[in-house]
Amino acid sequence: EVQLVESGGGLVQPGGSLRLSCVASGFTFSDYYMDWVRQAPGKGLEWVGRSRNKVNSYTTEYAASVKGRFTISRDESKNSMYLHMNSLKTEDTAVYYCVTVDTSRWDQKYWGQGTLVTVSS
Amino acid sequence: DIQMTQSPSSLSASVGDRVTISCRASQDISRALAWFQQKPGKAPKSLIYTASNLQSGVPSKFSGSGSGTDFTLTISNLQPEDFATYYCQQYKTYPLTFGGGTRVETK
């Protein structure tokens, strides 16, 4: 059974930093692309960024709204993906989800339960 | 960036109804479109990928169609568990973009 468990959310002041974690199980982590998607309170879904799979050297893509401030990394030994968030703004307040991407079908089938990040003074 | 426009933003329907949600892309995305269902306080759930392929475990009452710029999600025989918000998403080019969502409410 595929499981994605996010953690690391919390309250942080504007300008601060936070690292989110996503621990994966039930599939071959290195084979999959992985996405971060966020949802501000009461708002719609916003794609944050992507980590490609090992064959593609875990290269990354980012939304313009977070590029230069957020970085996605992976630790294959821990089956984990991370979202390093710097220079946080109030508009980064959201629930952050990690999502699998099956490149044979390009579908985002599995989602974690999400972790809430609140940026406020 | 490719803009995804969903309509309507909300609709009221009754159990047993057939509902249709539209999604329009600002440029040709071929069939690189997915649909998701989200219930309050829950993570989104994948329903359809590549415009019309049903995700495993999703009932056949859900169907998707379209290509290019115009897409449709149809839900037949609406049941209480189908009242939720539905999102389309294009994955043709980066950045991936979502529609604004369609809330399906009980009439």
Side-chain angles (χ1 to χ4, degrees), chain A residues 55 63 81 91 98:
Chain A
V55 165
M81 178 176 67
E91 53 264 41
C98 69

Side-chain angles (χ1 to χ4, degrees), chain A residues 69-87:
Chain A
R69 300 188 299 123
F70 290 11
T71 302
I72 298 172
S73 65
R74 294 209 209 190
D75 184 337
E76 196 176 316
S77 68
K78 297 181 179 179
N79 268 16
S80 294
M81 178 176 67
Y82 305 100
L83 183 64
H84 307 262
M85 303 184 294
N86 297 319
S87 303

Side-chain angles (χ1 to χ4, degrees), chain A residues 37-53:
Chain A
V37 174
R38 69 184 180 183
Q39 186 170 37
K43 302 296 184 183
L45 301 170
E46 180 187 16
W47 177 78
V48 172
R50 170 168 288 178
S51 167
R52 295 183 180 87
N53 54 16

Side-chain angles (χ1 to χ4, degrees), chain A residues 51-107:
Chain A
S51 167
R52 295 183 180 87
N53 54 16
K54 185 174 183 178
V55 165
N56 289 286
S57 305
Y58 295 134
T59 53
T60 53
E61 300 284 346
Y62 298 96
S65 59
V66 305
K67 195 168 187 178
R69 300 188 299 123
F70 290 11
T71 302
I72 298 172
S73 65
R74 294 209 209 190
D75 184 337
E76 196 176 316
S77 68
K78 297 181 179 179
N79 268 16
S80 294
M81 178 176 67
Y82 305 100
L83 183 64
H84 307 262
M85 303 184 294
N86 297 319
S87 303
L88 282 161
K89 306 175 181 180
T90 54
E91 53 264 41
D92 294 319
T93 294
V95 174
Y96 286 73
Y97 298 101
C98 69
V99 190
T100 63
V101 183
D102 182 339
T103 54
S104 67
R105 309 186 312 183
W106 292 106
D107 71 323

Side-chain angles (χ1 to χ4, degrees), chain A residues 2 4 27 32-35 50 98-103 105-112, chain B residues 34-37 43-49 54-58 89:
Chain A
V2 171
L4 300 169
F27 63 101
Y32 278 69
Y33 286 28
M34 298 289 294
D35 284 352
R50 170 168 288 178
C98 69
V99 190
T100 63
V101 183
D102 182 339
T103 54
R105 309 186 312 183
W106 292 106
D107 71 323
Q108 293 177 316
K109 182 173 183 179
Y110 298 106
W111 294 61
Chain B
W35 289 97
F36 298 90
Q37 176 195 65
K45 174 186 175 181
S46 173
L47 297 177
I48 286 170
Y49 61 97
L54 205 60
Q55 189 62 262
S56 59
V58 173
Q89 181 214 53

